[in-house]
Amino acid sequence: MPPDSGGVLFVHAHPDDECVGSGGSIARLVAEGVRVDLVTCTDGAEGEVHDPSLDPDEARPRLAAIRTAELACSLDALGGGAIRHHMLGYRDSGMMGTDANDHPDAFWQADLEVATRSLIEIVREARPAAIVSYDERGNYGHPDHINAARIARDAYTGLAG
């Protein structure tokens, strides 16, 4: 993709999805001089603790802050300051059927028209040539991935019309 093509906007659900799901693509695009925008929809507060240096019981209450720090490291590793990052500000919804799904700030409880309008504003500013997100099942059924895919699709179709 030529550097002046308009760039790529990635819409991910949680901090860490950018490196797990599309890190290689993001790093390559940045290395090629292509504009990369990353939207992170949630704070990652319901994620799992895999870091062996952390006590899961101690880390869980501050997991959103841990994920924010990890995301900053990821953005630096993938793009060295070149990635334009946008947070939508929702709370992680956890997996389907958990109590976290019912939290009023959870992305699964969000008004998707409002979330889509927020994303549309980012798309208007970024003017990407492509938007990358998940399939309609969120790749594996996580509610936040499903909603990220929904708002990415709705923003695209809303702007295309």
Side-chain angles (χ1 to χ4, degrees):
M1 178 175 278
D4 61 350
S5 67
V8 179
L9 184 137
F10 292 84
V11 181
H12 280 298
H14 311 103
D16 79 0
D17 292 335
E18 77 289 338
C19 62
V20 174
S22 56
S25 297
I26 290 172
R28 181 172 179 161
L29 289 164
V30 169
E32 292 176 355
V34 175
R35 177 182 171 137
V36 173
D37 284 80
L38 169 66
V39 175
T40 306
C41 297
T42 78
D43 61 4
E46 293 296 322
E48 297 173 354
V49 178
H50 294 288
D51 184 340
S53 71
L54 295 174
D55 172 6
D57 293 331
E58 185 279 327
R60 179 151 296 287
R62 57 188 188 91
L63 196 51
I66 292 168
R67 292 292 187 253
T68 297
E70 292 172 344
L71 177 60
C73 290
S74 178
L75 293 173
D76 186 53
L78 295 173
I83 299 167
R84 291 163 178 88
H85 183 244
H86 314 268
M87 287 291 291
L88 286 192
Y90 293 98
R91 188 179 192 288
D92 187 339
S93 302
M95 296 302 289
M96 289 289 199
T98 64
D99 290 342
N101 280 177
D102 295 327
H103 194 288
D105 297 330
F107 192 31
W108 191 241
Q109 298 298 322
D111 179 330
L112 291 187
E113 288 184 24
V114 171
T116 300
R117 282 196 301 272
S118 295
L119 183 56
I120 284 173
E121 290 307 311
I122 295 166
V123 173
R124 284 186 173 138
E125 186 270 319
R127 303 185 56 80
I131 298 174
V132 177
S133 193
Y134 313 104
D135 66 16
E136 65 278 353
R137 288 192 58 255
N139 289 9
Y140 69 100
H142 192 293
D144 293 335
H145 288 233
I146 293 168
N147 274 355
R150 286 175 176 165
I151 67 168
R153 179 202 60 225
D154 292 349
Y156 174 82
T157 57
L159 288 168

